[in-house]
Structure formats: C-alpha cells, structure tokens
Amino acid sequence: MNNLFRHIIPHFLLLRIIFFLLILIWVFGFSLPFFIPIDQQTIILYQFFHKIYSGVCHQLEYKSISVFGYYFHVCARCSGIYIGAFIGSIISLFYLKQKHLKIKYFYIAAFPIIIDVLFQSLNISEYIKLSAFLTGIIFGFTVFIFFISAIENYFIVHKTNYSLNEFK
Amino acid sequence: MNSNKYLPFLVCGFGAAVLTTVPYIKSFTCCLIVPAAAFGALYLNLRVNNISTPIDIKKAILYGFLTGLTAAFFSSAFEILITYITHTNDFVESLPQTESLMRSLELGSLLDQTMGLLNNMSKDILATGFSLLYAFTITFSNLIIDSIFGIIGGVIGMSVINKRT
C-alpha cells in the first residue's frame, strides 16, 4: 500500500500544481487592476479581460471590490469564490493526503451563500460586499476540495483498482 | 436514437442561457448558473433514464461540457437577437462612461485606436443592430468560459450525486 501511495503522490501533486496554476491565472486576470495599473500599454489588456469576465459575472461596480480606485473584473461574491478556490489549491499542494469528504460539508458550505443570496433577493438585507466575499470564499474553498477529490478518486479507483478508503 | 440522452443537457443548457439573459437573476446568481445547469443535467439524466449506477467522470465531463456549449450557444444567440431588435445593449450603453474614464487617464494614441474600434462596434449596433466583431467576441468568449464552467459543474455534480446515491 505504501508503494502504491508513493507511486500515486507525484501524479496528484502534478495535477494539483496544474489546477493551482490555472486558478492563479484566473485570479490574476480578474484582479489585474490591483497588480498592473492601467496605462497606455495595459489598456487593451484591461479591456480584453473585462470582456472575458463579463461572461461569468454581471460586473456591477457597486457589487465589486475596488482597489486603488479600480474595480475587479468580477463582483465581490465571484471574487470570494475564486479566491476561496485559490486558497484551497494552495493548501492542497501541502496537504496531499486523500480525504473522502462527506456530502454534508458541501451543503454546509453552500448554506451561507444561499442564505446571503436569498436575503438580498427578498430585500431582507442590503448587498454587503464583505458578506458576499466571505460566503464566496467558504463556498469556493469547499467546491475546489470536492472537485479535486472527485478527480483523484476517479484515478485511484479506475487506474489502480483501489478504493479511497484503503488510504485511510 | 435515444433522444432522452440529449434532452437533459439541452434543457438545462437552454435554461441556463435564459437565466443569463435576465439581468436581475444574473446579478444574483452570477457564475453559478452554468455549473448549476451542468449539475441539473446530470441529475435529470439519472431521473429520465432511470440510471442507478454511479456516474462516470468521463460522462460527467461530457455532460458538463455539452451543457456549457448549449448554454453558450443559446445565450450568445439571445444576446445577438435582443441587440438586433433593440439596437442597443449593455456594451453600447456603458461605452460613453468607459470612454470618459479612459480619457481621464490620459493614455495617448493607443487609447484612440482602441476607442475607435469600440466606437465602430457601437455605431454598427446602433445603426443596424448587428456588429460582426461584437457577435464573434461574445460567442467565442461564451463558448470557452461556459464550457469550462460546465465541466467544473459536471465534476462537482458527479461527486455530489454519487455520494448521495
């Protein structure tokens, strides 16, 4: 079993590094104004990224986080989800042990974001960027862990004929 | 041909496209629409075809991808159609604000070229209701992004559904 685990770990690490880099690029893209101030060279890049992210977010300024006077290309909730996934991807690089996550954690993580969205939809509360951001982080983090666990589970079960439970 | 195989992702993809067109709904659900649609497509597939075995990751990715493609196709079509009928859209309406913001940054000649391109798109839309460059841009970006988000939704959906069943 130890040999098997040692054999699989590099593949998992590679997979997690790939996801980490992909999420890093995505997070860098929407927070571009924070890293690169808009000037003559970056104006086209800024417009391009703004258009790209318009497909996944409404980009309403009053719902977006602004840094140095420039707004992120996505709203506070989306920023939270992606940054949560990014935090998850960083942690997954250092914590390689496989976990068989229970479904209740997914529901627990989704609950705050659902409540937040519902309260705003029903005009029970105003849109609070911090609340949207924090609930997004919780959801994004959990979703990433589920995502990576689903893919790794597939490779373990289908490529090695071992169950995840055997790693416990 | 078993049409039940194609119905789930067509229905959910179409539903997601409709939701992305409604501004009020989009402002609340945002990037969760397409992944949720992929999740829905997988669940609907189980119910429609009476499948009780765990979902394979290949199938989850395929369903997510196809749901994303369907959503991208219809949402682009809706956007182009609505723009054609109304001769305006968010891009045209926000262009003056974008231009004044950019002008205030004093970016020089490159800004003029960029704004020239954007203004041409805006003029085409205002005059005829259609701009080829705009249509191509939104279709291309929707296809790429929705299919990626669809795949993510499919994999997460598979994980959740398999654990439940």
mmCIF file with all atom_site columns, all heavy atoms in Angstrom, chain B residues 22 38 81 90 102 108 156:
data_model
loop_
_atom_site.group_PDB
_atom_site.id
_atom_site.type_symbol
_atom_site.label_atom_id
_atom_site.label_alt_id
_atom_site.label_comp_id
_atom_site.label_asym_id
_atom_site.label_entity_id
_atom_site.label_seq_id
_atom_site.pdbx_PDB_ins_code
_atom_site.Cartn_x
_atom_site.Cartn_y
_atom_site.Cartn_z
_atom_site.occupancy
_atom_site.B_iso_or_equiv
_atom_site.pdbx_formal_charge
_atom_site.auth_seq_id
_atom_site.auth_comp_id
_atom_site.auth_asym_id
_atom_site.auth_atom_id
_atom_site.pdbx_PDB_model_num
ATOM 1  N N   . VAL B 1 22  ? -31.592 37.192 -18.302 1.00 0.00 ? 22  VAL B N   1
ATOM 2  C CA  . VAL B 1 22  ? -32.409 38.012 -17.397 1.00 0.00 ? 22  VAL B CA  1
ATOM 3  C C   . VAL B 1 22  ? -31.471 38.757 -16.437 1.00 0.00 ? 22  VAL B C   1
ATOM 4  O O   . VAL B 1 22  ? -30.817 38.124 -15.606 1.00 0.00 ? 22  VAL B O   1
ATOM 5  C CB  . VAL B 1 22  ? -33.386 37.116 -16.578 1.00 0.00 ? 22  VAL B CB  1
ATOM 6  C CG1 . VAL B 1 22  ? -34.274 37.976 -15.684 1.00 0.00 ? 22  VAL B CG1 1
ATOM 7  C CG2 . VAL B 1 22  ? -34.229 36.275 -17.514 1.00 0.00 ? 22  VAL B CG2 1
ATOM 8  N N   . ALA B 1 38  ? -25.120 22.302 -15.322 1.00 0.00 ? 38  ALA B N   1
ATOM 9  C CA  . ALA B 1 38  ? -24.430 21.026 -15.583 1.00 0.00 ? 38  ALA B CA  1
ATOM 10 C C   . ALA B 1 38  ? -24.816 19.992 -14.518 1.00 0.00 ? 38  ALA B C   1
ATOM 11 O O   . ALA B 1 38  ? -25.064 18.818 -14.833 1.00 0.00 ? 38  ALA B O   1
ATOM 12 C CB  . ALA B 1 38  ? -22.925 21.242 -15.588 1.00 0.00 ? 38  ALA B CB  1
ATOM 13 N N   . LEU B 1 81  ? -29.756 38.432 -30.759 1.00 0.00 ? 81  LEU B N   1
ATOM 14 C CA  . LEU B 1 81  ? -31.143 38.687 -31.176 1.00 0.00 ? 81  LEU B CA  1
ATOM 15 C C   . LEU B 1 81  ? -31.719 39.931 -30.480 1.00 0.00 ? 81  LEU B C   1
ATOM 16 O O   . LEU B 1 81  ? -32.314 40.808 -31.137 1.00 0.00 ? 81  LEU B O   1
ATOM 17 C CB  . LEU B 1 81  ? -32.005 37.461 -30.868 1.00 0.00 ? 81  LEU B CB  1
ATOM 18 C CG  . LEU B 1 81  ? -33.443 37.496 -31.373 1.00 0.00 ? 81  LEU B CG  1
ATOM 19 C CD1 . LEU B 1 81  ? -33.481 37.425 -32.892 1.00 0.00 ? 81  LEU B CD1 1
ATOM 20 C CD2 . LEU B 1 81  ? -34.255 36.344 -30.786 1.00 0.00 ? 81  LEU B CD2 1
ATOM 21 N N   . ASP B 1 90  ? -25.836 46.426 -23.278 1.00 0.00 ? 90  ASP B N   1
ATOM 22 C CA  . ASP B 1 90  ? -25.028 46.933 -22.161 1.00 0.00 ? 90  ASP B CA  1
ATOM 23 C C   . ASP B 1 90  ? -23.721 47.566 -22.649 1.00 0.00 ? 90  ASP B C   1
ATOM 24 O O   . ASP B 1 90  ? -23.278 48.580 -22.121 1.00 0.00 ? 90  ASP B O   1
ATOM 25 C CB  . ASP B 1 90  ? -24.678 45.785 -21.194 1.00 0.00 ? 90  ASP B CB  1
ATOM 26 C CG  . ASP B 1 90  ? -25.907 45.313 -20.442 1.00 0.00 ? 90  ASP B CG  1
ATOM 27 O OD1 . ASP B 1 90  ? -26.916 46.039 -20.459 1.00 0.00 ? 90  ASP B OD1 1
ATOM 28 O OD2 . ASP B 1 90  ? -25.851 44.220 -19.858 1.00 0.00 ? 90  ASP B OD2 1
ATOM 29 N N   . MET B 1 102 ? -11.540 56.321 -19.474 1.00 0.00 ? 102 MET B N   1
ATOM 30 C CA  . MET B 1 102 ? -10.251 56.103 -20.139 1.00 0.00 ? 102 MET B CA  1
ATOM 31 C C   . MET B 1 102 ? -9.598  57.433 -20.523 1.00 0.00 ? 102 MET B C   1
ATOM 32 O O   . MET B 1 102 ? -8.385  57.587 -20.424 1.00 0.00 ? 102 MET B O   1
ATOM 33 C CB  . MET B 1 102 ? -10.443 55.229 -21.392 1.00 0.00 ? 102 MET B CB  1
ATOM 34 C CG  . MET B 1 102 ? -10.933 53.827 -21.098 1.00 0.00 ? 102 MET B CG  1
ATOM 35 S SD  . MET B 1 102 ? -9.877  52.975 -19.942 1.00 0.00 ? 102 MET B SD  1
ATOM 36 C CE  . MET B 1 102 ? -10.870 51.568 -19.522 1.00 0.00 ? 102 MET B CE  1
ATOM 37 N N   . GLY B 1 108 ? -3.136  58.461 -24.270 1.00 0.00 ? 108 GLY B N   1
ATOM 38 C CA  . GLY B 1 108 ? -2.450  58.744 -25.539 1.00 0.00 ? 108 GLY B CA  1
ATOM 39 C C   . GLY B 1 108 ? -3.062  58.079 -26.751 1.00 0.00 ? 108 GLY B C   1
ATOM 40 O O   . GLY B 1 108 ? -4.247  57.754 -26.774 1.00 0.00 ? 108 GLY B O   1
ATOM 41 N N   . ILE B 1 156 ? -18.260 18.373 -10.136 1.00 0.00 ? 156 ILE B N   1
ATOM 42 C CA  . ILE B 1 156 ? -18.770 18.566 -8.771  1.00 0.00 ? 156 ILE B CA  1
ATOM 43 C C   . ILE B 1 156 ? -20.139 17.877 -8.623  1.00 0.00 ? 156 ILE B C   1
ATOM 44 O O   . ILE B 1 156 ? -20.415 17.222 -7.615  1.00 0.00 ? 156 ILE B O   1
ATOM 45 C CB  . ILE B 1 156 ? -18.854 20.063 -8.407  1.00 0.00 ? 156 ILE B CB  1
ATOM 46 C CG1 . ILE B 1 156 ? -17.441 20.643 -8.357  1.00 0.00 ? 156 ILE B CG1 1
ATOM 47 C CG2 . ILE B 1 156 ? -19.541 20.279 -7.061  1.00 0.00 ? 156 ILE B CG2 1
ATOM 48 C CD1 . ILE B 1 156 ? -17.385 22.129 -8.439  1.00 0.00 ? 156 ILE B CD1 1
#
